[in-house]
Structures are given as C-alpha cells and as structure tokens.
Amino acid sequence: MLTIGVLASGQGTNLQALIDAIKEGYLPGRIGVVISDNPQAYALERAKKAGIPAFYLPPGPRKTYLVSEVEKQYVECLVKHQVQLVCLAGFMRVIKRTFLSNFPNRIINIHPSLLPAFPGLEAWKQALDYGVKFTGCTTHFVNEYVDAGKIILQAVVPVLPDDTPESLHRRIQEKEHFIYPLSVKLIAQGQIKYGE
Ligand code: GAR
C-alpha cells in the first residue's frame, strides 16, 4: 500500500480531500505523516483529527524556500514515516535539490491554474486579472523549476463575468478536491508513470 507524506502551509482542504478519499476506500493508500512550515496551519488540526502524525517543522531563515539543512530535516521526517510519495498540498515554498534528490520523481503538487499558464502565487487572481475565460487546476510532478514538472491531470473551470478572486478560487478548489485524490489513486494503482 502506498504511503503518502503531505506538506501543507494553510487550510489543508486538499489534505482533507486525500484523507476522505482514503477513508471512503477510493484511494488505496495511507498518509504516514503531515508536515507544515506554519505552526498555525489548520492542516495540522485536520491531520490530528484523522489520527495522522503531524508536525510543524520550522522553515528556517528563507521566506520562499527551505535551506538545505532544513530540507534535510523534512526529508528525515518523511523517511522515518516510510513515505514513498510526497504530496504538496498548498505548501508555499519552492522545493530544492536536497528534497528532489531524496525523492526523485516522487513529489507531486496541485496548482490552481491550467499550467503552464499562471505559475506562482495567487494563480486564480492572475487568471482573473488577465481576463481569460477558462482557468482551472493542474496536478504535476515537481522538478527544479517552479510549477513546471510533467503534468498528471487538469480540470477546467470557466471564469464567470461577476467572479471575484475568492469565488473563482472556491470553484477551482472544488475541482482540486477531485483531481488530487484521483491523481494519487492513479499513481498508487501504477496507471501513471512517475515523471521523468
Ligand atoms: C490550493 O488552491 C492550491 O492549489 C494552492 O494553494 C491552495 C491550498 O489550499 N497552491 C498553490 O498555489 C501552490 N503554488 P488548501 O490549503 O485548502 O489545500
């Protein structure tokens, strides 16, 4: 059975979608550990409620990424909990070399746009500002570039004339909660090859 490790910085609704999918027997796997770089992350509460080991690991001195020493601590925690696949679920830091070399092609992410459009922060707001008529969400393997690895699945969300950033993000998240568990399920069942 696939053991998953989840990294989350915030609300953790995608974590919840994975927890629920496992509980319902839809996703054949288990979550071995949840780690956050934010002590206030509600994701940590969700994990504890589900009986999953959950840790805040201090992110170190940099705002946008974990320095190598800190990445090492994250990796050690994941390895200790027998994690085979790392799922980034609203983890708001760039993944660097120490992480990638310890989990080669074993890290996936969910991003709130149709990549390669709108990488980076607040992708739903970028889409709204740009004026696109359709946006959506993407699951992808993580490589050394930001939001750039091999795509696993995408879902399309129309942009409505009276959308606000919040309403658009909410509808994108509904689709995220469908494609993230499905992506992990396909990987667990060997139906998707790990990204090269
Ligand atoms: C999600 O919309 C996810 O796609 C996004 O953060 C949100 C986390 O929500 N991730 C990124 O923007 C990564 N670049 P959640 O904490 O409720 O799962």
Side-chain angles (χ1 to χ4, degrees):
M1 187 186 279
L2 184 72
T3 299
I4 301 155
V6 178
L7 267 52
S9 303
Q11 275 302 307
T13 64
N14 280 287
L15 166 66
Q16 191 66 53
L18 294 172
I19 292 171
D20 294 345
I22 289 169
K23 206 161 128 199
E24 287 158 14
Y26 172 79
L27 170 54
R30 56 183 283 272
I31 300 179
V33 67
V34 172
I35 308 176
S36 183
D37 58 340
N38 168 13
Q40 320 292 351
Y42 188 60
L44 291 172
E45 294 306 313
R46 292 182 191 270
K48 284 177 199 156
K49 275 185 199 159
I52 299 165
F55 303 97
Y56 160 63
L57 292 187
R62 302 289 172 181
K63 255 209 154 98
T64 55
Y65 66 96
L66 309 170
V67 293
S68 183
E69 269 313 301
V70 177
E71 279 205 336
K72 224 182 261 172
Q73 291 165 13
Y74 275 64
V75 166
E76 276 168 17
C77 184
L78 293 164
V79 170
K80 189 174 152 200
H81 290 87
Q82 278 112 38
V83 167
Q84 297 162 295
L85 178 74
V86 180
C87 294
L88 308 182
F91 187 66
M92 302 312 278
R93 283 170 201 268
V94 179
I95 298 299
K96 298 290 208 186
R97 205 174 312 142
T98 302
F99 236 123
L100 291 167
S101 61
N102 278 279
F103 288 96
N105 300 316
R106 298 291 189 278
I107 308 174
I108 65 172
N109 182 38
I110 178 106
H111 183 76
S113 76
L114 294 174
L115 289 172
F118 311 126
L121 295 177
E122 297 191 321
W124 59 89
K125 192 165 180 301
Q126 294 185 52
L128 204 57
D129 291 346
Y130 202 94
V132 294
K133 302 300 175 203
F134 294 91
T135 183
C137 50
T138 303
T139 52
H140 65 93
F141 288 95
V142 172
N143 63 15
E144 66 267 45
Y145 305 106
V146 176
D147 300 328
K150 187 174 162 190
I151 289 173
I152 303 168
L153 293 178
Q154 294 188 306
V156 176
V157 175
V159 180
L160 304 178
D162 53 357
D163 257 332
T164 61
E166 294 71 32
S167 67
L168 182 56
H169 189 206
R170 205 173 314 119
R171 289 206 316 289
I172 291 171
Q173 285 216 298
E174 282 170 20
K175 299 282 185 182
E176 291 185 346
H177 302 158
F178 174 66
I179 67 164
Y180 213 7
L182 177 55
S183 300
V184 179
K185 176 187 167 97
L186 292 173
I187 290 172
Q189 292 176 335
Q191 294 185 59
I192 295 225
K193 285 211 184 101
Y194 287 106
E196 295 317 31

